[in-house]
Amino acid sequence: MDTTTIIIFLALIVAVSIGIIVISQMRERARIERVRRITALEDAYNRAHRLLDEIPDQYLTRELKLLLAGRIEEICRELESLRADLPVSKWRADARALKQQVIDGTDENVPTKIDSPEKSAYVKELLQNLFKMIEALQKSGRIDSATAKKNLKHVLFLIHKTHADMHVYQAREHIRQNEIRKAIHAYHLASTELGKSQDNPMAVKAVKSFRTRIKELEHSLANGEKAGTDEKQSRLDREWDNFLHEDDWKKKKNDYE
């Protein structure tokens, strides 16, 4: 075997070795990228599911529920394409079942009392995460600008409403204990919180309702009357508790106006 043949043979060995190394590295990078994508998608699913599960039902409108369920379906499709070793089929089936329930109006809606600063702060954190998720969906082109703007505006209103809910709950407790001045102060705080969403018609109407209630309490205080849980107060409580339910809102719309 002459020198030229030996050199060519060695060069082939080196080339093949380099090729094997390059292919191995490419496969390893692809494997790492696949694992990274699966982990990121699993985290995205957990965040979306947490928002659906932990945001109080009275805050999640029909459109927000459909948006979150749709996001979960999208995540499941991507996970399936990556052949992730996760219960993707169940996740997708649950999301589809929820969507159908929302469309049919048979989804469960159990209001949660916002009765402490800690609970209010936790719900606010969840809503802020929902706000960021909607922003990300818009930036990635998954939802259009009009849909994103509408929902972002509503979620911002909900963030203010968490604090208003807490103050309204405190006002009710003060009234039950006949602590009228404290109740008036709590309603003022609730009014201030929703006043931050002046461009939201629902917030404007709620502020008007609070001011009416404040005047009633001030009248009771001036006349030395006891402001107990009378029929009018019970009706106001029910209206506030159902304030964000779309069907109830449509029924009340003419009355408010």
Side-chain angles (χ1 to χ4, degrees):
M1 185 179 294
D2 58 25
T3 304
T4 302
T5 303
I6 294 173
I7 293 173
I8 292 173
F9 180 73
L10 291 174
L12 285 173
I13 293 175
V14 171
V16 170
S17 300
I18 292 174
I20 292 171
I21 292 171
V22 169
I23 291 171
S24 298
Q25 289 178 339
M26 289 175 64
R27 285 181 175 176
E28 181 62 15
R29 282 197 294 268
R31 186 191 67 81
I32 292 171
E33 177 61 18
R34 176 178 174 274
V35 171
R36 186 196 67 78
R37 287 184 62 194
I38 289 174
T39 300
L41 287 168
E42 185 179 8
D43 288 343
Y45 165 80
N46 288 332
R47 286 194 299 272
H49 189 269
R50 180 190 175 208
L51 295 177
L52 262 176
D53 193 47
E54 298 186 22
I55 291 178
D57 285 342
Q58 68 266 30
Y59 287 7
L60 285 176
T61 61
R62 178 176 180 273
E63 187 169 353
L64 287 173
K65 283 185 177 181
L66 291 175
L67 188 150
L68 285 167
R71 175 59 181 147
I72 288 176
E73 281 191 300
E74 182 183 37
I75 292 168
C76 289
R77 285 195 295 271
E78 293 185 51
L79 285 170
E80 281 186 339
S81 69
L82 294 170
R83 297 181 181 179
D85 186 20
L86 293 167
V88 179
S89 297
K90 182 181 183 305
W91 292 353
R92 187 171 60 178
D94 290 345
R96 285 179 174 175
L98 175 61
K99 282 179 69 174
Q100 192 59 52
Q101 288 173 356
V102 173
I103 292 170
D104 295 340
T106 58
D107 56 308
E108 187 176 9
N109 287 289
V110 181
T112 300
K113 287 184 178 180
I114 308 299
D115 53 6
S116 69
E118 293 76 18
K119 190 175 291 185
S120 175
Y122 181 66
V123 174
K124 179 181 177 181
E125 178 189 342
L126 292 173
L127 291 168
Q128 287 172 332
N129 290 336
L130 177 58
F131 190 95
K132 292 176 183 176
M133 191 196 82
I134 295 172
E135 280 188 321
L137 291 176
Q138 179 189 10
K139 289 178 181 177
S140 63
R142 290 182 170 89
I143 58 175
D144 59 78
S145 296
T147 300
K149 183 178 180 180
K150 175 185 175 182
N151 284 288
L152 288 172
K153 182 178 177 180
H154 185 68
V155 172
L156 187 60
F157 159 67
L158 293 178
I159 290 172
H160 297 148
K161 188 179 181 296
T162 58
H163 294 294
D165 273 335
M166 179 188 68
H167 295 310
V168 168
Y169 177 84
Q170 291 173 339
R172 293 176 183 177
E173 292 301 306
H174 291 318
I175 290 172
R176 290 189 182 97
Q177 298 170 27
N178 204 35
E179 298 175 333
I180 309 305
R181 293 187 188 279
K182 290 182 179 180
I184 291 172
H185 179 63
Y187 274 122
H188 273 300
L189 292 175
S191 179
T192 299
E193 282 299 327
L194 285 186
K196 296 174 183 177
S197 292
Q198 293 180 353
D199 58 345
N200 187 299
M202 297 174 74
V204 172
K205 296 177 194 303
V207 169
K208 289 180 180 178
S209 177
F210 291 150
R211 288 174 180 170
T212 299
R213 186 57 180 157
I214 288 169
K215 288 179 181 179
E216 292 173 350
L217 291 172
E218 287 174 340
H219 181 270
S220 298
L221 188 63
N223 290 278
E225 299 172 358
K226 184 177 180 180
T229 54
D230 54 18
E231 184 178 345
K232 181 182 290 186
Q233 175 61 23
S234 297
R235 178 178 59 80
L236 289 171
D237 288 349
R238 286 195 301 271
E239 287 183 358
W240 177 250
D241 291 339
N242 294 321
F243 190 59
L244 290 179
H245 290 281
E246 293 175 336
D247 290 339
D248 291 335
W249 168 250
K250 289 174 183 177
K251 292 175 184 176
K252 296 191 187 82
K253 187 174 181 182
N254 293 332
D255 294 336
Y256 279 115
E257 294 176 347

